[in-house]
Amino acid sequence: MHADTTVTSKKAAALAAFEGIDSEPGVPKPDPILVIEKVVRRFGGLTAVDVDHVEVQRGSITALIGPNGAGKTTFFNQLTGFDTADEGSWSFNGKPLRGVPAHRVARSGMVRTFQLTKALSKLTVMENMRLGAQNQRGENFFRALIPGSWRGQEDEITERAEELLERFKLAAKRDDFAGSLSGGQRKLLEMARALMVGPELVMLDEPMAGVNPALTQSLLGHVKDLREEGMTVLFVEHDMDMVRDISDWVIVMAQGTVIAEGPPDTIMSDNRVIDAYLGAHHDAPMSVEEAEEQLQEAEAELEAEIEEKA
Amino acid sequence: MDWNTIFVTTVKASIGLETVVYALAAIGVNIQFGYAGLLNFGQAAFLGVAAYGLAVIVSTFGLSFWLGIAVGLVATVVLAFLLGIPTLRLRADYLAIVTIAAAEIVRLVFRSVAFKDVFGGSDGRQNFSGDFYAMNPYAPGSYGIGPIKFDERTTWVLTVGWILIALSCVLVYLLMKSPWGRVLKAIREDEDAVRSLGKNVFSYKMQALVLGGVIGCLGGFIFGLGQASIQPDLFGTEFTFYAYTIVILGGAARVFSPVVGAAIFWVLLVFVGNTLSEAVGAGVFGSAITVTQVGSVRFILVGLGLMLLLIFRPQGIFGDKREIALDAR
Ligand SMILES: Nc1ncnc2c1ncn2[C@@H]1O[C@H](COP(=O)(O)OP(=O)(O)OP(=O)(O)O)[C@@H](O)[C@H]1O
Ligand SMILES: [Mg+2]
């Protein structure tokens, strides 16, 4: 259903939206779903996140990349209400979100997954899925006591969950404890469960880490499908092939700030990005020749890959 | 040795007052700890404020029995909010610390000299159960099967107690197979995951704390009424720990485990205690154990039994072995 080569209408629309946009950090987008004015989070003396203006285009797949410790997860935590930012303001669909508790953020349509997977071990896979559904009548204490009042809705939820489990290749595990799943399967379950919420913006923190390559392909397909269904995806990923394959736009973080933005095929040759990844301010002593050599190697490698793609 | 007496007292213990009281307390703990993962170490205080609420209204102020029940219930809910509001947003251990301290504060206030006029100091309160026994439908006499007999007053308390246990079990059963119970169990596993799915975790934890407290408080009423008196030291921390023992013995997060756990716990205590007393009386141990030591020795033996149970059946009697296995992953 998600043929790799067909450039679908949604993808074309997303790419068209980015047409002619400068590759500058903080550049305005035509129809942003998420607008960050400023976010600052300090841990003691360490400023983990200090992001100025950033916008995320509606209906696009945007990748957030950066070296380890760049502050990507911390940035996610601030946006989704799992941590309290020291400063800043940001809005989702025009609604200011700073100080809004995590569960309200999720209800408003912005749902995230976690880098360290959070499967609910002693619930079955199906119960994990059902938990994601919103506005459940049976989650009210008094209505819970009258099974007739929530059974019908529960059946609908189960049906929706079964479709998603099928898509994520977990249907066979339906009645197993989530704790018995493998690491990769838990990633899949967490993503499927997040979709049960019915989000507008899905924020995935390293969704592919630990998932086998064959499955990664189908997961990539699922992520593209999300865009087809009208959702916006913002995801953190270290695998550059994958970033290039599915993202319409890439935001690069390093040392807590956004250092570059741009389309995936040009962003990797941006000097600021290469510096961030290879360390223009490398701690280890390195001779000038060594550094030059490494840089050229990396550039050649990147270019080769880009050409291969084209 | 009088095996007949041992047998009769043991069977009576399985459905007796202590079993009823501890079963209700443990059903509450099972909701909080077993299903929601909340470490409420102050369950004794919930029974205490309920029993004292009833006793003080009736015996200190001379007001009606039903008003006393209402005050006991309200006091329980208020206590749950007082303990929950500051702690339920924090990490799980804070609730444990606050509840264990609060339970001691409550007990010390009940036995304090300053409030002796209201709570009766360490002697507690009496003369509040008259209206309850006036409602007794059983004619004077004894009721039961064969040698297992209770007088009409005990029969009445036990009837009410077991009806409350049955209703509580039905309530827990309905709740825990509903989406409400699913949210609770999910919170026990990982709060942040539940938040990320749009559930108000604080609200659910508070509901669990209040519900567990209210079911426990029914045990407080039965305790006071069954003994026709209450003393502050009935509600010490060991009460709470027995309730936890019972839940773990039965198997956490199972509907009937607190009830069966309570029965087994008291049967063991009474059986071991009586057998030891009889044996000491008959001179079986010579001078190794005296009558006064029997009370402690029975706890040692029962404790040993519980340790063996947890070693060989860590999931408790009703627990699911597969769930325990998941923790090791
Ligand atoms: N709770 C915390 N207390 C102190 N420092 C923290 C805390 N959380 C994150 N940090 C620091 O903030 C910085 C950013 O961490 P973060 O987890 O956001 O990185 P990341 O970009 O997600 O990295 P990775 O790609 O490895 O997941 C790191 O230097 C980290 O040590
Ligand atoms: Mg991270």
Side-chain angles (χ1 to χ4, degrees), chain A residues 107 134 136 139 179 181, chain B residues 180 182 197-199 204 329:
Chain A
R107 281 182 202 169
Q134 298 300 294
Q136 295 192 43
E139 286 182 357
L181 297 182
Chain B
W180 187 87
R182 179 162 67 217
L197 299 172
K199 319 290 170 193
Y204 281 95
R329 277 177 65 109

Side-chain angles (χ1 to χ4, degrees), chain A residues 23 65 240 243-244 250 252 259-278 295-307:
Chain A
S23 292
I65 64 169
M240 289 307 152
V243 169
R244 220 171 288 125
V250 179
V252 188
I259 54 158
E261 284 191 51
D265 20 323
T266 60
I267 196 76
M268 297 316 296
S269 49
D270 190 307
N271 277 329
R272 292 165 298 193
V273 179
I274 295 168
D275 282 355
Y277 269 90
L278 297 178
L295 210 80
Q296 270 167 5
E297 248 174 53
E299 263 171 350
E301 206 175 275
L302 283 168
E303 264 158 26
E305 269 180 31
I306 290 161
E307 266 171 28

